[in-house]
Amino acid sequence: MSVSTRVDLALLGIRGQPPVSRSAGAGPSDDGHLVIDGMNAALPRNPQSPYEFDGQRLLYDGVDTGLDVAVINRPRFYDLHTADGVAYEQIARLHGRDVLATTVVQTCIRYAEDQRCRFCSIEESLRTGSTVAVKRPADLAEVAAAAVRLDGVRQMVMTTGTSAGRDRGARHLARCTAAVRAAVPDLPIQVQCEPPDDLATITELRSAGADSIGIHVESMDDTVRRRWMPGKSTVPLVDYWAAWTEAVRVFGRNQVSTYLIVGLGEDPDELVTSARQLIDAGVYPFVVPFRPHPGTLAVDADRVGAPDPALVEKVSRQVAEHLTFTGMLGADQRAGCAACGACSVLQNVGG
Ligand code: SF4
C-alpha cells in the first residue's frame, strides 16, 4: 500500500462497519479496525468516503483496491459478563487485532463545554450506555484474563479521564494496573494520564506494573492549546516536560509517548521541531491526523474538517525520519498507542 493511500484512508475513512469498531470515547474514536498489509489500521467511519469495506475487501468507488485486508473478528470475550451482570464489552474493548483498551474513569473534570478538549468525546460513550463510568480493578483483571485466553490479546492500554485529585486520576490507574498485572503477569500494559502534580506518582505506576506511559499534550503551541484544550492548557508545558523527563527516567527511553495532532492549526515546521525535541528527550511523539467525529465540539460547533493529506504525509515523514535516525521505533514500545500504531501513519513511513 502506498503511503498516500494509507493517508487517504486515515483521513477519508471508510463506509461499512468492520466487526471491530468503536463509536465515541477518549482520544481518536468512531472508527473501524482492520489489518491492512499486516499493519493495524483504525479508520474513521465516514458514510461519504469513496472507500468502502464490503465485509472482506476495501473498494474505491466500487472497484477492489487489491489491498491485503485482514478482518478482525468480534472477540469472544465481548459475550461474557461479570458476576453482577456488566458486559465485558462495557469494561474494555479490542483495538486492532490484539490491543485491549479501556478508559478506567470515563468522566473528566474538564468536560464542561467551555473547558473540554474540542476533539474529545470521552463522556459520550457513557451517555449512550456503551461503557460504565468507573472500571473496578477486579473487573478489569477478569476481562484482561479472558481477552488473553480467548482472543490472544497481546497488550493493554489504560487511559483515564482527569479527576479532581492532585494525581489527576493516576492512582486509580495504578490500582487497575496492579490488579491486571496480578491476573495476567505477562501482559504488557501502557497507562495514559495527565502530568500528576506529585511526580512520585509516576514511580507508583511503574511499580504497579505498567510497562510504558503516555502523557499526552496533543500540541506544543500554547495558542493552539488554549483554543482547542481550554481546561487542559491550564497545565503549563513546563509541567509536561517535568513529567516526561521523570517518566523517561523511570520507564526508560522510548517507553514514554505523547500524542501530537496534525490539523489543529499549529505551524507544521514548529510541530516537527517539537517532535524532534521530544524524540531527543526519549519521548515518542505519536503523530496523528485530527479526526473529525460527531459528538465533539470541533465537529458539532466548530465544523472543523480533516487536515490536508499532503500535510499529514509530510509531517509524518519528517518525524519518522528523526525517529529512525535515533533508533526509536513505535514497535519497540512494550505497549501502547505507539506500539499499536493504528491511529497514525508513522509506522507506515518507518517510525
Ligand atoms: S493507536 Fe491507540 S487508540 Fe488507536 S487503535 Fe491503537 S491502541 Fe487504540
Side-chain angles (χ1 to χ4, degrees), residues 35-329:
V35 177
I36 306 177
D37 282 355
M39 299 177 94
N40 286 318
L43 306 175
R45 285 179 303 178
N46 169 14
Q48 264 82 49
S49 175
Y51 290 98
E52 181 188 2
F53 172 67
D54 73 350
Q56 281 181 322
R57 300 166 304 166
L58 273 176
L59 314 177
Y60 183 89
D61 281 345
V63 179
D64 188 356
T65 56
L67 291 172
D68 173 14
V69 176
V71 179
I72 304 161
N73 292 321
R74 178 183 155 85
R76 284 181 282 181
F77 80 85
Y78 276 13
D79 295 328
L80 303 180
H81 293 77
T82 63
D84 41 11
V86 181
Y88 280 15
E89 190 181 357
Q90 291 175 288
I91 295 169
R93 316 257 321 168
L94 185 68
H95 284 198
R97 69 192 129 184
D98 54 14
V99 183
L100 184 67
T102 184
T103 302
V104 299
V105 174
Q106 199 82 37
T107 55
C108 184
I109 50 156
R110 310 197 188 286
Y111 212 63
E113 213 163 293
D114 60 348
Q115 293 296 303
R116 86 174 67 147
C117 301
R118 300 187 85 76
F119 45 73
C120 183
S121 61
I122 185 170
E123 294 194 12
E124 297 312 299
S125 44
L126 187 58
R127 203 176 46 74
T128 59
S130 59
T131 188
V132 290
V134 179
K135 280 68 171 184
R136 293 189 306 208
D139 288 348
L140 280 173
E142 190 178 314
V143 173
V148 169
R149 189 178 67 248
L150 299 174
D151 298 292
V153 155
R154 291 156 69 99
Q155 59 131 315
M156 184 163 186
V157 175
M158 290 192 211
T159 190
T160 185
T162 301
S163 67
R166 288 184 65 227
D167 66 301
R168 299 204 170 104
R171 294 234 155 78
H172 184 60
L173 267 181
R175 285 190 288 272
C176 294
T177 302
V180 171
R181 172 66 59 237
V184 214
D186 296 331
L187 183 67
I189 300 169
Q190 187 209 34
V191 289
Q192 304 179 344
C193 59
E194 282 192 27
D197 262 9
D198 180 358
L199 292 181
T201 310
I202 290 172
T203 298
E204 281 176 42
L205 287 163
R206 178 77 177 121
S207 305
D211 296 278
S212 59
I213 186 168
I215 302 171
H216 298 167
V217 72
E218 280 88 19
S219 169
M220 304 277 275
D221 176 329
D222 270 326
T223 308
V224 170
R225 295 183 72 221
R226 281 192 292 272
R227 186 164 66 238
W228 279 83
M229 301 160 254
K232 203 168 148 174
S233 64
T234 58
V235 180
L237 283 176
V238 67
D239 287 11
Y240 276 86
W241 275 112
W244 288 323
T245 305
E246 175 64 2
V248 170
R249 187 188 72 76
V250 171
F251 283 83
R253 182 176 173 273
N254 201 24
Q255 298 306 330
V256 181
S257 55
T258 192
Y259 268 67
L260 292 181
I261 304 179
V262 180
L264 304 187
E266 185 168 349
D267 179 88
D269 292 335
E270 283 177 21
L271 193 158
V272 171
T273 302
S274 300
R276 289 192 183 123
Q277 285 167 347
L278 287 160
I279 295 166
D280 292 341
V283 179
Y284 186 102
F286 191 59
V287 171
V288 296
F290 166 66
R291 184 187 293 175
H293 60 92
T296 61
L297 291 172
V299 167
D300 297 348
D302 307 340
R303 313 273 167 215
V304 181
D308 173 16
L311 174 70
V312 173
E313 181 172 342
K314 180 167 170 245
V315 168
S316 302
R317 281 189 187 280
Q318 288 176 319
V319 174
E321 193 180 319
H322 200 61
L323 284 165
T324 313
F325 176 71
T326 53
M328 255 175 63
L329 300 183

